[in-house]
């Protein structure tokens, strides 16, 4: 049985997780980000991707379901190829919202298929990073 380690993290912290093998990398930066959305910023920013409201917000972003499904397929392909240890890294800018929600969803899907999954949220408790968007973009 393969062991799968899923790690979420924020690229803005400049300390990506180290892995023994090249990981399956999932970049979530194209998905909606609560701190960048004025409609939900005040309500969701201080929460994390583990909060059901934030997870729902992220997972209802166009393309989120497809990203999860494609990522699960990549892991299943690696297992079918005989890999016994698979690292999956899931990134966003701050490591608190999008990467956490997607990492949890990928892990849940793999567990439903009876795989051994360990999950670690590297930056979930870190302070919010300043937004990369300028005021002109808001």
């Amino acid at each position: 049985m393969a062991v799968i380690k899923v790690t979420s993290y924020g690229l803005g912290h400049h300390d990506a997780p180290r892995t023994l093998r090249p990981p399956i990398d999932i970049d979530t930066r194209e998905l909606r980000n609560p701190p960048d959305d004025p409609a939900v910023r005040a309500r969701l920013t201080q929460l994390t991707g583990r909060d059901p409201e934030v997870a729902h917000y992220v997972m209802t972003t166009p393309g989120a379901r497809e990203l999860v499904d494609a990522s699960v397929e990549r892991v299943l392909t690696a297992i079918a190829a005989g890999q016994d240890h698979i690292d999956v890294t899931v990134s966003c800018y701050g490591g608190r919202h999008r990467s956490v929600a997607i990492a949890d969803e990928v892990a849940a899907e793999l567990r439903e298929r009876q795989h051994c999954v360990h999950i670690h949220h590297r930056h979930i408790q870190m302070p919010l990073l300043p937004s990369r968007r300028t005021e002109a973009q808001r």
Side-chain angles (χ1 to χ4, degrees):
M1 174 183 286
V3 174
I4 304 159
K5 181 178 180 188
V6 178
T7 304
S8 72
Y9 71 103
L11 293 163
H13 295 286
H14 306 290
D15 65 340
R18 295 181 186 185
T19 59
L20 296 175
R21 297 165 190 79
I24 293 173
D25 187 50
I26 306 167
D27 185 344
T28 68
R29 289 176 293 171
E30 293 300 315
L31 302 178
R32 291 185 301 179
N33 188 21
D36 293 336
D37 183 345
V40 299
R41 182 181 305 127
R43 192 171 77 252
L44 301 184
T45 297
Q46 296 304 318
L47 303 174
T48 72
R50 287 227 142 148
D51 181 87
E53 190 175 4
V54 175
H56 177 75
Y57 177 87
V58 171
M59 287 306 301
T60 57
T61 300
R65 172 54 42 202
E66 292 81 3
L67 180 61
V68 169
D69 292 345
S71 301
V72 168
E73 278 304 311
R74 290 172 64 196
V75 172
L76 296 176
T77 298
I79 292 169
Q83 290 187 28
D84 61 353
H85 181 89
I86 301 161
D87 287 307
V88 179
T89 57
V90 187
S91 61
C92 65
Y93 181 64
R96 292 176 45 97
H97 301 102
R98 295 168 292 179
S99 63
V100 171
I102 295 296
D104 281 349
E105 188 69 21
V106 168
E109 298 262 339
L110 291 166
R111 286 182 180 131
E112 284 180 13
R113 291 170 170 82
Q114 307 304 309
H115 293 288
C116 178
V117 181
H118 303 279
I119 191 157
H120 175 64
H121 297 297
R122 189 173 175 97
H123 297 126
I124 195 169
Q125 297 302 328
M126 297 294 286
L128 288 172
L129 294 174
S131 177
R132 294 181 61 195
R133 299 182 73 184
T134 65
E135 288 301 315
Q137 292 172 310
R138 290 189 180 172

